[in-house]
């Protein structure tokens, strides 16, 4: 894969994200379409690749691994979303969330103007649908992981309108999925026109979470994700809300930095 990307001079991720959002993915809990698009682009080129130091068997193993690994695109989409947010890191006066994630105990956010400082609160639980009736919340960890970096770029819970299938995990129908994205408009700076969503009137998903709007409206960001078991493995999938305490702490630090307290 490394040699292929080198030969291609890179591989554009944004067009894959854009197409998959029109095919039922929200690119956090679901990457089904993104996987197919990625494989369509890459597999023929892998099969045609002629590099003496790579035996044919090794190339075939790479193809098999690519096509048999569920959600292979998952990490690529996350990396692209994280890269998109890095340009705002350290920007003076910006109240936009630049990073967020949890460790199963605490959940934290970063604000662009406040650099690498974390503002934390107790990690929230994900509510949704378990994969088995034997699973329950006592078996589940609070939010753990940094996959919600995709929400910083308008994917996942902010692109709910693109994926009623994912929202159905919480009992929502298509109207509820669209309403979730509309609600996120109230706490974001803009919509990302690079990713038009058919069920959303071909608007792009709301993106760039604004700390000030979160505190003012009382609306906290929706983040999609998997329910992780305390002893490992995935119990199910659903949605969580980022604790308001994270934003209140960040706002206090912002006010102190800029003499607004």
């Amino acid at each position: 894969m490394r040699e292929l990307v080198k030969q291609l001079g890179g591989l554009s991720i944004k067009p894959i994200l854009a197409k998959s959002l029109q095919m039922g993915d929200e690119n956090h809990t679901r990457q089904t379409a993104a996987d197919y698009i990625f494989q369509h682009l890459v597999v023929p080129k892998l099969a045609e690749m002629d590099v003496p130091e790579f035996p044919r068997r090794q190339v075939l193993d790479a193809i098999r691994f690519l096509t048999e690994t569920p959600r292979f695109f998952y990490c690529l989409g996350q990396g692209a979303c994280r890269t998109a947010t890095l340009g705002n890191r350290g920007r003076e006066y910006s109240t936009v969330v630049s990073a967020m994630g949890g460790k199963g105990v605490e959940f934290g956010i970063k604000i662009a103007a406040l650099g690498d400082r974390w503002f934390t609160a107790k990690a929230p639980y994900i509510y949704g649908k378990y994969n088995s009736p034997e699973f329950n919340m006592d078996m589940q960890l609070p939010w753990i992981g940094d996959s919600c970096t995709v929400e910083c770029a308008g994917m996942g819970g902010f692109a709910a309108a693109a994926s009623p299938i994912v929202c159905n995990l919480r009992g929502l129908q298509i109207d509820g999925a669209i309403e979730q994205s509309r609600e996120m408009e109230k706490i974001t700076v803009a919509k990302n026109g690079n990713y038009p969503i058919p069920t959303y009137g071909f608007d792009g998903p709301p993106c760039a979470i604004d700390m000030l709007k979160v505190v003012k409206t009382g609306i906290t960001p929706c983040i999609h994700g998997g329910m992780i078991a305390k002893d490992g493995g995935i119990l199910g999938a659903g949605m969580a809300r980022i604790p308001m305490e994270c934003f209140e702490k960040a706002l206090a630090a912002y006010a102190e930095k800029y003499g607004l307290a």
Side-chain angles (χ1 to χ4, degrees), residues 169-182:
L169 294 172
R170 295 189 297 112
L172 297 180
Q173 302 299 318
I174 187 168
D175 289 347
I178 293 170
E179 178 55 33
Q180 181 173 309
S181 290
R182 292 294 180 204

Side-chain angles (χ1 to χ4, degrees), residues 114-137:
L114 301 177
D116 286 328
R117 184 176 173 185
W118 285 103
F119 301 94
T120 63
K122 186 177 180 180
Y125 278 92
I126 294 174
Y127 293 90
K129 185 178 292 185
Y130 292 111
N131 294 335
S132 168
E134 297 179 2
F135 297 158
N136 58 64
M137 189 165 286

Side-chain angles (χ1 to χ4, degrees), residues 7-252:
Q7 288 188 15
L8 294 174
L11 186 66
S12 297
I13 300 299
K14 283 175 66 176
I16 299 176
L17 289 169
K19 289 180 181 178
S20 64
L21 283 172
Q22 296 183 8
M23 298 168 68
D25 289 355
E26 36 73 89
N27 281 303
H28 192 162
T29 301
R30 187 179 192 271
Q31 288 87 19
T32 304
D35 273 349
Y36 290 146
I37 296 166
F38 182 75
Q39 291 170 17
H40 177 77
L41 290 171
V42 169
V43 169
K45 292 180 172 59
L46 275 173
E48 295 168 359
M49 193 167 65
D50 183 18
V51 182
E53 59 265 37
F54 292 115
R56 188 66 178 166
R57 172 51 55 187
Q58 190 171 345
V59 175
L60 292 175
D61 287 343
I63 292 173
R64 185 175 295 107
F65 178 80
L66 171 63
T67 56
E68 292 181 357
T69 302
R71 303 175 70 197
F72 184 92
F73 187 78
Y74 182 58
C75 295
L76 300 181
Q78 285 184 49
C81 289
R82 177 61 181 148
T83 301
T85 65
L86 287 175
N88 197 41
R89 185 175 58 177
R91 188 178 299 275
E92 283 294 324
Y93 303 104
S94 176
T95 55
V96 169
V97 176
S98 60
M100 52 193 184
K103 58 180 182 180
V105 177
E106 292 179 295
F107 190 96
I109 65 171
K110 292 182 179 181
I111 302 298
L114 301 177
D116 286 328
R117 184 176 173 185
W118 285 103
F119 301 94
T120 63
K122 186 177 180 180
Y125 278 92
I126 294 174
Y127 293 90
K129 185 178 292 185
Y130 292 111
N131 294 335
S132 168
E134 297 179 2
F135 297 158
N136 58 64
M137 189 165 286
D138 290 338
M139 305 167 65
Q140 182 183 333
L141 278 172
W143 184 282
I144 184 168
D146 59 0
S147 62
C148 49
T149 190
V150 304
E151 268 84 3
C152 290
M155 303 290 134
F158 289 68
S163 190
I165 295 173
V166 168
C167 290
N168 188 249
L169 294 172
R170 295 189 297 112
L172 297 180
Q173 302 299 318
I174 187 168
D175 289 347
I178 293 170
E179 178 55 33
Q180 181 173 309
S181 290
R182 292 294 180 204
E183 184 186 31
M184 295 299 98
E185 287 182 23
K186 299 175 183 177
I187 59 171
T188 48
V189 172
K191 297 175 185 175
N192 193 332
N194 292 301
Y195 306 123
I197 300 171
T199 53
Y200 204 46
F202 288 95
D203 279 348
C207 67
I209 302 163
D210 187 340
M211 166 187 67
L212 297 179
K213 291 183 177 181
V214 172
V215 176
K216 181 178 180 180
T217 63
I219 298 170
T220 51
C222 297
I223 51 177
H224 290 174
M227 301 169 175
I228 307 301
K230 293 177 180 178
D231 58 357
I234 297 177
L235 301 176
M239 185 203 80
R241 292 267 186 173
I242 299 176
M244 179 62 77
E245 185 181 351
C246 295
F247 295 93
E248 292 171 343
K249 288 180 177 178
L251 181 59

